[in-house]
Amino acid sequence: MNTADPTEITIRLLKRALHLLASEPNEQISYLKQLGVNPDEIALEFDDAFRRAIGTSGMGLLSKEVVAAAQPVDERLRQMTNSSTEVWTKSNLETSPEWRLLRSLAKEALAKISETAG
């Protein structure tokens, strides 16, 4: 029986979610069209992976540095969610400064996690 390492799975899921958040708008929109979902799905995928990383870190299986690297992305998504501006549209995904900042934070987090966790 081949069981996957929960730490490796968590890091892979987190990197995948960050890669999607860091992607160019046309790539994000293409992904959303394939799934038939709205832009908030990108945030939900990150949230799932980030919450898993927090849990895995809490069990001592994942370094706190990995969670810390992704924390600014989580904070930015929370701000976007609580904003009075409608950020969860494809149009805003393409043009808004909120999404540009989010992409930048996701790129930084991805680089830090790649350095820390490989």
Side-chain angles (χ1 to χ4, degrees), residues 8 12-13 23 32 55 57 64 74 84 110:
E8 287 180 28
R12 190 172 8 146
L13 290 171
S23 296
L32 294 169
S57 176
K64 295 192 185 311
D74 184 60
S84 61
L110 195 53

Side-chain angles (χ1 to χ4, degrees), residues 10-23:
T10 299
I11 291 170
R12 190 172 8 146
L13 290 171
L14 188 57
K15 284 173 134 181
R16 181 177 171 270
L18 285 167
H19 177 75
L20 181 57
L21 284 170
S23 296

Side-chain angles (χ1 to χ4, degrees), residues 6-50:
T7 303
E8 287 180 28
I9 293 170
T10 299
I11 291 170
R12 190 172 8 146
L13 290 171
L14 188 57
K15 284 173 134 181
R16 181 177 171 270
L18 285 167
H19 177 75
L20 181 57
L21 284 170
S23 296
E24 293 300 318
N26 62 326
E27 295 171 43
Q28 292 171 328
I29 289 171
S30 176
Y31 176 80
L32 294 169
K33 282 182 182 177
Q34 284 179 334
L35 294 181
V37 295
N38 294 317
D40 64 337
E41 181 63 28
I42 295 172
L44 294 171
E45 287 186 23
F46 170 81
D47 189 63
D48 288 346
F50 186 64

Side-chain angles (χ1 to χ4, degrees), residues 1-116:
M1 182 172 159
N2 184 8
T3 55
D5 177 6
T7 303
E8 287 180 28
I9 293 170
T10 299
I11 291 170
R12 190 172 8 146
L13 290 171
L14 188 57
K15 284 173 134 181
R16 181 177 171 270
L18 285 167
H19 177 75
L20 181 57
L21 284 170
S23 296
E24 293 300 318
N26 62 326
E27 295 171 43
Q28 292 171 328
I29 289 171
S30 176
Y31 176 80
L32 294 169
K33 282 182 182 177
Q34 284 179 334
L35 294 181
V37 295
N38 294 317
D40 64 337
E41 181 63 28
I42 295 172
L44 294 171
E45 287 186 23
F46 170 81
D47 189 63
D48 288 346
F50 186 64
R51 301 294 158 229
R52 180 181 174 122
I54 290 171
T56 305
S57 176
M59 293 186 294
L61 300 174
L62 182 67
S63 76
K64 295 192 185 311
E65 289 83 12
V66 170
V67 173
Q71 187 70 44
V73 174
D74 184 60
E75 290 171 11
R76 185 68 197 146
L77 284 168
R78 190 180 354 238
Q79 291 169 356
M80 288 171 67
T81 298
N82 294 329
S83 169
S84 61
T85 308
E86 179 52 54
V87 295
W88 305 112
T89 66
K90 289 179 183 170
S91 175
N92 279 336
L93 182 148
E94 291 178 294
T95 61
S96 76
E98 291 91 350
W99 277 93
R100 280 194 296 275
L101 176 57
L102 181 60
R103 284 185 195 94
S104 176
L105 291 171
K107 287 174 188 172
E108 289 174 22
L110 195 53
K112 286 179 185 175
I113 290 170
S114 293
E115 279 178 16
T116 305

